[in-house]
Amino acid sequence: SYELGQALSGSGTLSVTGKGSGTTLSFTDTVDGSFEGSLGLNNVTVSLGGNTATNLATAKVTAGTGSILEVQTGTARQILNTLTLDGGTLSFAGLGGAHVGTDTLGQLEVTSLDVTGGGIIDVKFEEKGEGSTQAFSVLTADEGSVEQMLVHTTDIDGDINQLKFTQSKDSKVNIVDGIDTVAIGTYGYSLAQNTEGLGISFQLKALNLISGQTLNLAGANNEETNEANDLSAKIRGEGNLAITGNSVYL
């Protein structure tokens, strides 16, 4: 393992090549050295949190072959200047869910994200997902909508379809209306991007309506061809379903 006890500063390039699994790189100095240069990683793991995150907050990081950059949970997003994925793995500590905070799932903020070199996005989910999603988003989630951000950025270079997403299992997430949980949604996941950055798209597959509760849905308009008015997810349970506006097609 490599442990740097001095503050990192300057604008040059630091390249670190490890010996594969088990090789780590960390920074122990508590002072931000304002390193504005480039850090190249190959066959080494970096845990982005604590003093290491402090030292790399203004760095340009490239995650190359065999490298793992693990974004830690905390009270706020971890920050880099830029991140380039070039065959490496970007892993997020904690558990994935819908609209969860940085204390539950690590999240990253960068000025730009380059994915042209490809790589792996690693997020762990449990069968019962963390967090919750609002009832009004059910119809858009049925088509697939970004419900959890991973990398906050306004600039993504490359096609995110070049990235491999490790999550393949479905999980269940509470659907709430106000403060009440009115249904349990079964969701599948995929990577997606929007104006806020790179995140996780939730694809609603099934709804279990909770007894004594009502799931209220309102169509976007009365046009049958509008996908936002279609609900293709399977519906079951002992609760109620109410159409409160326009048309919804089941």
Side-chain angles (χ1 to χ4, degrees), residues 127-144:
E127 182 178 357
K128 175 62 177 67
E130 299 288 322
S132 61
T133 188
Q134 295 292 322
F136 63 76
S137 70
V138 165
L139 289 173
T140 53
D142 184 50
E143 306 301 328

Side-chain angles (χ1 to χ4, degrees), residues 72-78 93 100-108 152:
Q72 296 300 316
T73 57
T75 57
R77 304 167 188 167
Q78 308 296 347
V100 296
T102 56
D103 56 340
T104 300
L105 176 68
Q107 296 172 45
L108 181 65
H152 299 259

Side-chain angles (χ1 to χ4, degrees), residues 78-92:
Q78 308 296 347
I79 297 175
L80 296 173
N81 184 355
T82 67
L83 175 63
T84 298
L85 287 178
D86 190 19
T89 296
L90 180 60
S91 178
F92 295 85

Side-chain angles (χ1 to χ4, degrees), residues 31-68:
V31 179
D32 176 12
S34 297
F35 176 56
E36 297 180 350
S38 300
L39 173 64
L41 304 172
N42 288 282
N43 294 316
V44 65
T45 297
V46 173
S47 177
L48 189 64
N51 294 337
T52 297
T54 299
N55 277 268
L56 297 180
T58 54
K60 304 176 183 70
V61 177
T62 297
T65 303
S67 65
I68 301 174

